[in-house]
Amino acid sequence: MERESVRTKKAPAIKLAHAGAENCIKFFVFTVGDGMISMLQVFNFSVLVSSELISSQNIPKNTQSAPSDRHSNDYCAMYDICGERSDGKVLNCPYGSPSIKPDELFSAKIQSLCPTISGKVCCTETQFDTLRSQVQQAVPFLVGCPACLRNFLNLFCELSCSPNQSLFINVTSVAEVSGNLTVDGIDYHITDTFGEGLYQSCKEVKFGTMNTRAINFVGGGAQNFREWFAFIGQKAPPGFPGSPYAINFKSSAPDSSAMAPMNLSVYSCGDTSLGCSCGDCPSSPACSSPEPLPPHEEDSCSIRIGPLKVRCIELSMVLVYILLVSCFFGWAALNRRGDITQPGGSSEPLLHPVEGDVKRRAHLSPVQRYMAKFYRTYGSLIARNPSLVLFTSVAIVLALSSGLFNFKVETRPEKLWVGPESKAAEEKKFFDSHLSPFYRIEQLILATVPDPKNGKAPSIVTEENILLLFDIQEKVDQIRGNNSGSEVSLTDICLKPLGEDCATQSILQYFKMDSETFDDYGGVEHAEYCFQHYTSSEMCLSAFQAPVDPSAVLGGFSGSNFSEATAFVVTYPVNNVVGDSSNQNARAIAWEKSFIQLAKEELLPMARSKNLTLSFSSESSIEEELKRESTADVITIAASYLVMFVYISVTLGDAPQFYTFYISSKVLLGLSGVVLVLLSVLGSVGFFSALGVKSTLIIMEVIPFLVLAVGVDNMCILVRAVKRQPLDVSLEERISSALVEVGPSITLASLSEVLAFAVGAFVPMPACRVFSMFAALAIMLDFFLQITAFVALIVFDCKRAADNRIDCFPCIKVFSSSQESVEGGRGSGFLERYMKEVHAPFLGLWVVKLVVVALFLAFALASIALSPRLETGLEQKIVLPRDSYLQDYFDSLSEYLRVGPPLYFVVKKYNYSVESRHTNQLCSISQCNSNSLLNERLLAAVGSSLMVVIVLQMTREKLPWFLNALPSADCAKGGHGAYTNSVDLKGYETGVIQASEFRTYHTPLNTQGDYVNALRAAREFSSRLSNSLKIEIFPYSVFYIFFEQYLNIWTVALTNLAIAIGAIFIVCLLFTSSAWSSAIIVLVLLMILLDLMGMMVILGIQLNAVSVVNLIMSIGIAVEFCVHISHAFLMSSGNREQRARGALETMGASVFSGITLTKLVGVIVLCFARSEIFVVYYFQMYLALVIIGFLHGLVFLPVILSLVGPPQLHLDIEDQQRRDEASSSLLN
């Protein structure tokens, strides 16, 4: 199951990078906005400082000095500092002056930052110090590519200190500050060559900490150098980041002036002297370009026939069908001609009447002879000692049931669907123990309602809706959960990465979670501003001092049009603890219960009153709803059992007659049979509970129904077999003869069913394995009780009826004057007459046989063609009650969220010592390996961008300090919050880090197939990378543990089905000694199985653990439809058609009433279940199985037996008697 519950990792984070739905439910990852504290000053170089303008005026070009003087070599356009802003930032002077010769110390300082500037300069030492302090803020963004950083620094070095500044800088306007003139606008002349080279060297540089390109910060996401220059040159209002005056970048200088555009040489990112990492410069010749892994396609072969495109397998099945049908019709024509033309020209009827030949009898296999002898002796024993057999058999099962005192139920999804030996389980255990578990997630989704006219939902970003969200948040803050008498608030359990504020992900964070600041900040306009500047504006930082990605708090938008969003997404990350020794999770669960109650009772009405929708979920919601589901359908299941019981009671009785119904009815016998079925289930559960095996909800709900459906067949067959015996013999003879007649087929069918379910014990999924074990033992115990306790009850019932005692009240005896009237119900019933007079003769028609074979063959081949379309997975909504509030929540997840689940690449045993090569194999900065982990490009299914965990070759003393350092102006990349839980420091003193993780995310995943393909792609990528780098790397995401089963579920399903069918073939072969008959049974079982899989495709039923169990179970149930007819065919004498007719007359009614109708009436009741999983996986699949099994068992199988059934095997009675006498004499 898609989790069932999907959470977020307790990753060191501040910014929510994404959220998405799964098995499982919701995924988040947080990243620190390190560098944000002082990042806003990146562009505030000494030449780009902002000030509050008092006045502004244009400067004529001929003012202060002649043009030839102002625009010449060794002349400055701006020099020195003429003022200071109220915030302390200095402002340049707009006066031209000759460049100056710096002293040696100053010159060395300039060379260290601006190596292209030598000799004279146009800046003072104070100006240069300001420039250097500011440009250092750009280093964290561009350090991955030295070429880009060098070009970027040259741009501002030339602007600030170039001795020829006046050649390409022209001051066009000034502003007065404190009585002094300062620069208000300039023209900056730069060649297109330099601009294009600068952009090309920087466009792919990654700022890994924020999981985006660096140009999104330093260039506003520019798509070319002109957009970048336009972004830099924008005049920003006071208090906002950007240039304090307009910079008009021009690519050419006026012809009439002496100016010339700045045209320094630019460094290519592929330049080996300033080489960039492959992640920052994919076009570099030194970078490898591995072929991307091909997308996984289950069936890519297709053929186009005109406008029609068909798959290869579909066309193949059509051709195979044409070939097989042609061959069959040809064979049938030849065979028909030989059958019609008899010696002497006489014509033989298709179905001969069955004539009793007292001189001949069926030749039994050794096993059959032994079983016949055993059942004859055993039947006599039961008839003589019914009480002893009844109480002994019941006592044995009750003894097994005593293990129920140790009965426990497993409800944890990870224990139900993932084996402890699975790869995903081992990786999760390693991740949780070495790093940190995912967070608990509580979530609200507030959305607008689509317009009924055009179907388009209006934007949610309005003042009214934001204020409503503030009201909702206020109520959430007031929630107090009750944990063992102590109150629990959100602040007690929430994630607090940097301080005391919860890392709540909400649009309200743009207002510091305070409604009073809404108007002060500018209301909706401020929110829309933060959508575009959430990483670059201090005013947009959250209350916990980190950026909030609008894609994480908004939903229902396209591209980056956040203002068109139709939903607010509010997420409350809560700390999660593995093992929970501190009882932290119990406190969280207590709060979550109060949270869900508040959402239902107060928040939902508030949203509806504003014509909005509200969906919500907590971490414990799925488990709580699954528990509720276990009791939601108790009445439906009980009704199903009751209907089956009523039907059993009616069908076991004789033909109803008013004056004898109270004696001929068998209500008490049917009730006793149901009790025996329940005892068999209790015995199975008790036995495994005593061994310490936990039960599951599916066992308690399904196995009683399953065993009852299977057990009823044996009840009907046994009772009808007793009824068929002549009344002129003793009761002992009737019981023993009935057991000889049907005992072997019951044993064969039951043993086949037990083996079919036992095979399921090899399924790696614990829920399926436990279910199969419980079901196999329950069916075995049911068979044991059927041939012991139930036969004994039949003996008691026969004695009751013979003594004219009332059913249900056997102590009351009725004196009847007519014994025949009581026994009159023993005549042939309606079904027996139908089988004998209608069904069998109709199937005997030659044309009917041809049509039956052609149709059933077409169904089988069509199902084979459809089978590849069978999807894997288990939709989350199906496993929940139909009225669950999570149904709306899952709809909202798929409709509104635009981000995918988090993905972590975990590196084991990373050696960070200087001597090790591991760092270069992982990092993405200059001098790293071209095929390093962070330089590799991920598949689209995994995600195109990667959150880079900083890999630094630190001393052993500095590493803990770095991980505990808060981000600040002194240490913009302080690791506290961002990387605290990303590295396992245990034993780091040895130079080896046992575990570290690199964070990224999947692309949005909507369907179950998307999750499976994402897991497959991530594992293929990490496997390839591990083999290449010789480092153990594995991918981890919280949903992997639930979806790993689907990577090989086809292999598991087909393997177990093949083993089950093979086991049934061997059992049939041992019992019948006829490979021919066994092969026909297996053929019919395969066709039933194929048709059922085809119906799954048509009905949209997915292949998962539940359906795999159902498929294995369908083989066991399908055996019932085949074995009894096949066994009766073998026991009959005559030609094939006579024996097929005899088999239908003998067992057809029992198969139809005892197997088909019994299961049908029980299954139909399940369609009223409140749980979708019951309707889809039990009602629909079981109904399809019953109908398909009935058609194959009572239509297709008799036709095949009449055409190609095993040859008759019989001996003269006298010959057999002589052989028995000879064998007896040898033994004597």
Side-chain angles (χ1 to χ4, degrees):
M1 182 169 116
E2 237 192 203
R3 160 179 178 246
E4 298 110 21
S5 177
V6 180
R7 292 150 289 181
T8 166
K9 172 194 178 298
K10 191 173 182 180
I14 300 185
K15 173 203 136 199
L16 179 62
H18 72 276
E22 96 298 56
N23 57 99
C24 7
I25 302 246
K26 184 72 187 158
F27 309 93
F28 293 92
V29 61
F30 294 84
T31 71
V32 140
D34 46 354
M36 291 295 100
I37 302 297
S38 54
M39 179 190 72
L40 308 177
Q41 302 169 351
V42 169
F43 299 108
N44 294 336
F45 309 127
S46 59
V47 296
L48 298 177
V49 292
S50 61
S51 62
E52 186 174 348
L53 303 182
I54 299 176
S55 63
S56 176
Q57 64 185 38
N58 293 331
I59 300 178
K61 291 184 179 181
N62 57 358
T63 303
Q64 300 182 16
S65 62
S68 59
D69 294 333
R70 291 178 56 226
H71 304 295
S72 62
N73 290 329
D74 297 331
Y75 203 84
C76 307
M78 304 179 294
Y79 186 78
D80 208 350
I81 297 172
C82 284
E84 184 176 290
R85 271 182 28 160
S86 58
D87 58 4
K89 294 180 180 180
V90 295
L91 306 173
N92 288 348
C93 301
Y95 308 121
S97 65
S99 58
I100 65 167
K101 179 73 174 178
D103 58 36
E104 292 184 3
L105 179 60
F106 184 23
S107 179
K109 290 172 62 176
I110 292 176
Q111 283 287 302
S112 65
L113 182 68
C114 306
T116 59
I117 298 178
S118 59
K120 297 180 179 181
V121 296
C122 279
C123 60
T124 65
E125 190 166 359
T126 303
Q127 283 181 289
F128 178 79
D129 289 340
T130 302
L131 169 66
R132 183 172 59 180
S133 65
Q134 299 302 326
V135 297
Q136 292 299 325
Q137 304 300 326
V139 173
F141 300 94
L142 307 176
V143 68
C145 185
C148 167
L149 181 60
R150 179 73 271 151
N151 294 332
F152 186 80
L153 292 178
N154 285 345
L155 176 69
F156 291 100
C157 284
E158 294 296 312
L159 173 64
S160 302
C161 294
S162 172
N164 304 316
Q165 188 188 67
S166 63
L167 289 178
F168 45 82
I169 296 293
N170 183 37
V171 178
T172 58
S173 64
V174 296
E176 185 178 348
V177 177
S178 301
N180 296 324
L181 293 180
T182 60
V183 175
D184 184 48
I186 65 172
D187 287 341
Y188 191 175
H189 299 271
I190 300 177
T191 63
D192 290 347
T193 303
F194 181 88
E196 182 66 23
L198 170 64
Y199 179 79
Q200 291 297 327
S201 66
C202 295
K203 67 177 182 180
E204 295 295 340
V205 176
K206 307 296 188 302
F207 180 51
T209 305
M210 294 303 298
N211 189 30
T212 186
R213 295 189 306 161
I215 204 167
N216 290 343
F217 295 92
V218 299
Q223 300 300 314
N224 53 61
F225 80 90
R226 298 187 188 279
E227 292 183 7
W228 192 359
F229 286 167
F231 174 80
I232 294 174
Q234 288 179 355
K235 182 178 180 179
F240 286 85
S243 173
Y245 53 82
I247 302 178
N248 185 16
F249 288 91
K250 295 185 176 182
S251 59
S252 61
D255 296 335
S256 59
S257 71
M259 298 181 69
M262 192 273 287
N263 189 27
L264 281 182
S265 298
V266 291
Y267 294 92
S268 168
C269 65
D271 192 324
T272 55
S273 63
L274 290 173
C276 301
S277 66
C278 292
D280 296 324
C281 185
S283 61
S284 173
C287 298
S288 60
S289 301
E291 291 294 327
L293 294 175
H296 179 77
E297 296 184 6
E298 296 183 357
D299 184 14
S300 58
C301 178
S302 60
I303 298 175
R304 184 171 296 278
I305 304 176
L308 183 64
K309 184 178 181 180
V310 297
R311 296 187 177 186
C312 294
I313 189 173
E314 296 169 352
L315 181 61
S316 301
M317 289 302 101
V318 172
L319 297 177
V320 169
Y321 178 73
I322 294 174
L323 178 62
L324 291 179
V325 169
S326 300
C327 293
F328 172 70
F329 282 177
W331 172 85
L334 294 175
N335 190 63
R336 172 65 173 161
R337 184 179 305 171
D339 289 345
I340 293 177
T341 307
Q342 301 293 333
S346 63
S347 178
E348 183 181 9
L350 292 176
L351 285 177
H352 298 276
V354 180
E355 299 177 359
D357 187 350
V358 297
K359 296 296 183 181
R360 307 174 76 84
R361 76 175 187 182
H363 171 51
L364 302 178
S365 69
V367 176
Q368 288 175 316
R369 287 201 301 271
Y370 172 79
M371 292 187 65
K373 184 177 181 180
F374 166 78
Y375 275 116
R376 184 169 296 281
T377 304
Y378 176 69
S380 299
L381 175 65
I382 295 181
R384 291 194 301 267
N385 306 283
S387 299
L388 177 63
V389 174
L390 175 62
F391 290 112
T392 302
S393 58
V394 172
I396 293 174
V397 177
L398 287 176
L400 293 176
S401 303
S402 61
L404 289 171
F405 290 105
N406 195 36
F407 176 76
K408 295 180 181 178
V409 178
E410 183 64 78
T411 58
R412 292 174 295 177
E414 65 273 13
K415 297 295 183 181
L416 289 175
W417 307 112
V418 183
E421 69 284 354
S422 76
K423 185 177 180 180
E426 294 176 355
E427 292 171 347
K428 181 180 186 299
K429 182 178 179 181
F430 180 89
F431 190 90
D432 291 346
S433 61
H434 287 81
L435 300 171
S436 185
F438 276 72
Y439 298 121
R440 304 177 68 88
I441 284 298
E442 336 297 343
Q443 196 167 60
L444 296 170
I445 300 179
L446 185 69
T448 55
V449 178
D451 190 328
K453 295 182 179 179
N454 55 26
K456 184 178 180 180
S459 173
I460 190 77
V461 187
T462 65
E463 179 177 347
E464 182 182 9
N465 292 335
I466 294 178
L467 293 177
L468 173 63
L469 193 60
F470 271 116
D471 294 338
I472 291 176
Q473 182 61 45
E474 183 179 357
K475 290 186 175 294
V476 172
D477 290 336
Q478 295 172 357
I479 294 177
R480 296 294 182 270
N482 185 0
N483 178 41
S484 302
S486 62
E487 291 188 345
V488 182
S489 66
L490 178 60
T491 56
D492 296 330
I493 59 176
C494 69
L495 167 69
K496 302 172 183 178
L498 295 174
E500 296 300 321
D501 290 302
C502 295
T504 301
Q505 300 300 305
S506 170
I507 190 177
L508 303 183
Q509 290 286 10
Y510 296 139
F511 305 95
K512 304 296 187 289
M513 301 295 290
D514 187 356
S515 59
E516 294 182 0
T517 65
F518 179 75
D519 292 329
D520 297 338
Y521 276 45
V524 175
E525 291 184 2
H526 174 71
E528 293 177 340
Y529 172 81
C530 289
F531 294 162
Q532 305 300 326
H533 302 88
Y534 67 97
T535 59
S536 57
S537 174
E538 283 189 82
M539 296 187 66
C540 296
L541 293 181
S542 63
F544 57 97
Q545 294 303 305
V548 175
D549 192 336
S551 63
V553 298
L554 299 172
F557 56 87
S558 59
S560 59
N561 299 320
F562 301 117
S563 298
E564 299 177 359
T566 57
F568 289 145
V569 181
V570 183
T571 306
Y572 305 100
V574 172
N575 291 316
N576 195 11
V577 181
V578 175
D580 198 18
S581 58
S582 62
N583 207 33
Q584 177 70 18
N585 288 348
R587 301 174 69 220
I589 292 174
W591 186 88
E592 288 166 359
K593 291 181 179 179
S594 300
F595 171 72
I596 296 300
Q597 182 179 1
L598 174 73
K600 290 180 178 179
E601 297 177 357
E602 298 186 37
L603 303 186
L604 191 57
M606 288 174 60
R608 290 175 176 172
S609 65
K610 302 294 185 180
N611 195 30
L612 300 174
T613 63
L614 179 70
S615 55
F616 47 90
S617 171
S618 70
E619 184 69 18
S620 57
S621 288
I622 286 187
E623 188 170 349
E624 292 297 325
E625 288 298 283
L626 289 178
K627 290 179 181 179
R628 185 172 71 88
E629 181 192 38
S630 64
T631 59
D633 292 312
V634 169
I635 297 178
T636 303
I637 297 173
S640 176
Y641 293 156
L642 179 61
V643 170
M644 293 179 70
F645 162 67
V646 172
Y647 175 77
I648 294 167
S649 301
V650 173
T651 193
L652 291 182
D654 296 323
Q657 298 184 23
F658 178 75
Y659 48 86
T660 60
F661 77 92
Y662 48 85
I663 295 177
S664 61
S665 67
K666 300 187 183 302
V667 175
L668 185 59
L669 181 62
L671 177 61
S672 302
V674 173
V675 172
L676 293 179
V677 169
L678 297 179
L679 281 178
S680 66
V681 175
L682 293 177
S684 175
V685 176
F687 174 78
F688 284 109
S689 297
L691 297 179
V693 180
K694 291 185 179 181
S695 182
T696 63
L697 296 176
I698 192 174
I699 288 176
M700 295 186 292
E701 295 171 345
V702 178
I703 286 187
F705 174 82
L706 167 66
V707 179
L708 183 61
V710 172
V712 167
D713 309 342
N714 296 339
M715 295 183 201
C716 294
I717 291 172
L718 285 170
V719 171
R720 288 182 181 276
V722 172
K723 289 181 182 180
R724 285 195 296 269
Q725 306 307 314
L727 296 176
D728 54 356
V729 299
S730 65
L731 177 60
E732 179 180 337
E733 182 66 20
R734 297 207 306 270
I735 296 295
S736 60
S737 297
L739 285 178
V740 169
E741 178 183 337
V742 300
S745 64
I746 289 177
T747 304
L748 175 59
S750 299
L751 185 57
S752 299
E753 291 164 349
V754 170
L755 286 177
F757 283 105
V759 167
F762 297 99
V763 175
M765 289 165 281
C768 300
R769 182 169 61 246
V770 172
F771 175 86
S772 299
M773 289 165 30
F774 278 66
L777 182 57
I779 292 176
M780 181 181 293
L781 292 178
D782 183 57
F783 167 69
F784 169 72
L785 291 175
Q786 294 292 335
I787 63 173
T788 55
F790 189 73
V791 174
L793 290 172
I794 292 177
V795 173
F796 284 125
D797 188 74
C798 290
K799 290 181 178 181
R800 174 198 61 78
D803 202 25
N804 286 340
R805 295 184 179 274
I806 298 177
D807 188 23
C808 297
F809 302 97
C811 296
I812 302 176
K813 183 177 181 179
V814 177
F815 295 95
S816 175
S817 59
S818 174
Q819 182 65 20
E820 287 107 6
S821 63
V822 177
E823 298 172 352
R826 293 184 179 272
S828 298
F830 170 76
L831 287 178
E832 285 85 351
R833 294 194 303 271
Y834 166 78
M835 289 293 172
K836 182 176 182 179
E837 299 172 5
V838 179
H839 195 78
F842 178 74
L843 292 181
L845 300 175
W846 191 262
V847 175
V848 173
K849 293 182 181 181
L850 297 179
V851 173
V852 166
V853 173
L855 287 179
F856 278 78
L857 182 61
F859 293 153
L861 294 178
S863 297
I864 294 176
L866 287 174
S867 295
R869 298 178 181 267
L870 189 58
E871 297 181 355
T872 58
L874 178 62
E875 293 295 341
Q876 297 160 327
K877 295 179 61 177
I878 290 181
V879 302
L880 298 169
R882 292 178 175 177
D883 59 348
S884 172
Y885 61 88
L886 290 178
Q887 298 285 357
D888 293 334
Y889 174 71
F890 286 128
D891 289 337
S892 297
L893 287 182
S894 60
E895 181 177 358
Y896 298 118
L897 295 193
R898 296 294 184 265
V899 284
L903 169 61
Y904 296 83
F905 286 98
V906 181
V907 179
K908 290 185 176 181
K909 297 182 179 179
Y910 160 54
N911 190 333
Y912 68 96
S913 63
V914 177
E915 297 80 10
S916 172
R917 298 174 54 220
H918 282 185
T919 298
N920 288 342
Q921 292 175 328
L922 299 179
C923 63
S924 64
I925 60 176
S926 178
Q927 307 306 318
C928 296
N929 291 1
S930 61
N931 63 339
S932 68
L933 170 62
L934 301 187
N935 280 334
E936 285 282 357
R937 289 189 172 275
L938 305 184
L939 300 177
V942 179
S944 60
S945 55
L946 189 66
M947 277 178 229
V948 182
V949 175
I950 303 174
V951 181
L952 297 173
Q953 291 182 333
M954 294 185 172
T955 64
R956 296 172 186 174
E957 294 77 14
K958 289 294 184 181
L959 185 57
W961 172 87
F962 167 76
L963 293 177
N964 290 316
L966 290 170
S968 64
D970 295 330
C971 182
K973 287 186 174 291
H976 183 72
Y979 311 118
T980 304
N981 294 320
S982 297
V983 181
D984 182 7
L985 287 182
K986 295 179 182 178
Y988 84 97
E989 299 88 353
T990 62
V992 176
I993 295 177
Q994 297 299 318
S996 58
E997 49 92 344
F998 296 77
R999 289 167 289 179
T1000 182
Y1001 56 87
H1002 287 281
T1003 53
L1005 307 176
N1006 297 317
T1007 66
Q1008 299 285 290
D1010 290 342
Y1011 285 98
V1012 177
N1013 291 333
L1015 169 58
R1016 181 183 291 108
R1019 283 193 171 176
E1020 290 175 351
F1021 171 79
S1022 62
S1023 175
R1024 184 184 68 182
L1025 207 57
S1026 296
N1027 295 333
S1028 173
L1029 302 179
K1030 308 303 180 185
I1031 302 177
E1032 187 175 358
I1033 302 172
F1034 69 85
Y1036 176 75
S1037 189
V1038 71
F1039 70 87
Y1040 286 178
I1041 195 170
F1042 302 108
F1043 285 87
E1044 184 187 41
Q1045 56 182 297
Y1046 301 119
L1047 293 179
N1048 61 346
I1049 194 166
W1050 271 107
T1051 302
V1052 171
L1054 295 179
T1055 300
N1056 285 278
L1057 291 174
I1059 295 175
I1061 292 177
I1064 291 174
F1065 175 79
I1066 294 174
V1067 171
C1068 293
L1069 183 62
L1070 292 176
F1071 272 73
T1072 64
S1073 297
S1074 172
W1076 196 330
S1077 176
S1078 302
I1080 290 178
I1081 292 176
V1082 168
L1083 172 65
V1084 177
L1085 289 179
L1086 282 173
M1087 295 181 67
I1088 292 175
L1089 186 62
L1090 289 172
D1091 288 353
L1092 184 58
M1093 294 176 70
M1095 287 302 301
M1096 289 175 62
V1097 177
I1098 295 174
L1099 296 174
I1101 300 176
Q1102 296 173 310
L1103 187 66
N1104 48 54
V1106 179
S1107 55
V1108 167
V1109 170
N1110 284 349
L1111 289 173
I1112 296 174
M1113 182 171 61
S1114 69
I1115 297 178
I1117 295 178
V1119 168
E1120 297 273 355
F1121 293 99
C1122 305
V1123 167
H1124 300 295
I1125 297 293
S1126 179
H1127 182 263
F1129 179 85
L1130 284 176
M1131 299 297 292
S1132 302
S1133 60
N1135 60 26
R1136 289 191 178 97
E1137 292 184 353
Q1138 291 173 327
R1139 293 157 63 205
R1141 179 172 180 174
L1144 282 174
E1145 292 176 356
T1146 303
M1147 297 301 299
S1150 297
V1151 171
F1152 184 75
S1153 62
I1155 300 177
T1156 306
L1157 293 182
T1158 305
K1159 292 178 174 60
L1160 191 62
V1161 296
V1163 166
I1164 289 178
V1165 179
L1166 293 179
C1167 72
F1168 300 103
R1170 295 170 60 189
S1171 302
E1172 192 72 16
I1173 191 170
F1174 270 92
V1175 176
V1176 174
Y1177 287 95
Y1178 297 108
F1179 167 67
Q1180 292 183 2
M1181 282 196 73
Y1182 284 8
L1183 181 62
L1185 172 61
V1186 171
I1187 295 175
I1188 293 171
F1190 158 72
L1191 293 174
H1192 282 79
L1194 292 181
V1195 178
F1196 180 73
L1197 179 60
V1199 170
I1200 289 297
L1201 290 174
S1202 68
L1203 292 173
V1204 294
Q1208 54 184 343
L1209 299 175
H1210 56 268
L1211 292 174
D1212 291 338
I1213 292 179
E1214 290 82 357
D1215 293 341
Q1216 184 62 37
Q1217 288 176 346
R1218 285 195 297 271
R1219 293 188 180 187
D1220 292 342
E1221 291 172 359
S1223 299
S1224 299
S1225 63
L1226 288 174
L1227 291 175
N1228 292 332

